[in-house]
Amino acid sequence: MNHCLPVTLPPLPGELLSSCISRHAEFYCVTPLTMLRHCLSESASLRAIDLMLSIDQANTMAEMFSIGSKAVRGMSFAESPKTTHRFIAKTPVHHCAHCSPTEPGTSPILRSELQGWRITCPFCRQLYQDKATSGDGPASTTYRAAARRDEKLLNDHAERGVETWFFPLEITQLLLMRRVPWPIPCNRDLWRYRILGTVIPDLDAILAKHKSVPYSPKHPILPLHLRPALLAGVAIIERAGPAMLKMLQAHMLGENKTRFIKATDHLVSPAFESGPPQQLQLI
């Protein structure tokens, strides 16, 4: 039977489960993995506990740390859809200068600091910052209102299971697929064109300043100066409806187009079968 640790440290508001474990490890002068396996002997990594904590594991940790099982689950991402996992970074990708004035890595880690769809702090609503930018570049200021709206849309889906006519995180990934622009530029420039650039025309010019774009449906966490444009693109599609997804298909060729159609056909086909699409008004 498991017993409570002699001394336990209460979790901080919004703290990540692995961060709480690491703070206990520091207190007891052991490694975080040692502390984790003292609680759960079969655990392979802190990352796995953050993403896939089972109810039985939560119950065990709750007894060890003298807190409720629901609170333990709430510190993890176990309740979030698996589609969110690609948007959950391994280490903090941003921080709040107001709520976390110290440098990342020197203070407890909050769940929100790993969520790659966020641009604002959930506590004070101030813009997040990262190592490259304060989050106040051209793409941020132009699309901030729409981005804030979609940040809530994504967060409601990821954290509360709120559903709309589409799955916003899946659409967010699809917008990072490559497209074929017209007129076709020289081959060395084709890498920078994404489906998102059809919804947010300014994006092509922004990405032209980058030497590389390592972002894709498999790696969808963008730096803060690009993230508002991506969020705004999803907000525009959500407002426009399935007809915009149909329109985006025309900007792709080959296997990419096939994958895009396969991923969105269950949304597009029923809408078109029920009648002609309404005229779109992009904002």
Side-chain angles (χ1 to χ4, degrees), residues 136-158:
D136 209 22
S140 293
T141 54
T142 303
Y143 303 108
R144 184 175 298 165
R148 283 181 182 269
R149 178 175 179 268
D150 189 53
E151 180 187 36
K152 184 179 185 306
L153 186 73
L154 292 172
N155 198 62
D156 285 347
H157 172 66

Side-chain angles (χ1 to χ4, degrees), residues 207-222:
L207 292 184
K209 301 176 183 178
H210 290 247
K211 294 182 179 179
S212 65
V213 181
Y215 319 113
S216 68
K218 290 184 178 181
H219 305 283
I221 301 179
L222 272 61

Side-chain angles (χ1 to χ4, degrees), residues 174-217:
L174 293 176
L175 287 177
L176 293 176
M177 293 179 70
R178 291 189 179 186
R179 81 176 201 273
V180 179
W182 189 260
I184 298 177
C186 60
N187 289 336
R188 68 174 182 271
D189 291 331
L190 282 174
W191 56 265
R192 80 165 56 101
Y193 293 94
R194 309 287 163 159
I195 285 294
L196 179 61
T198 302
V199 184
I200 306 293
D202 295 345
L203 186 71
D204 290 344
I206 295 171
L207 292 184
K209 301 176 183 178
H210 290 247
K211 294 182 179 179
S212 65
V213 181
Y215 319 113
S216 68

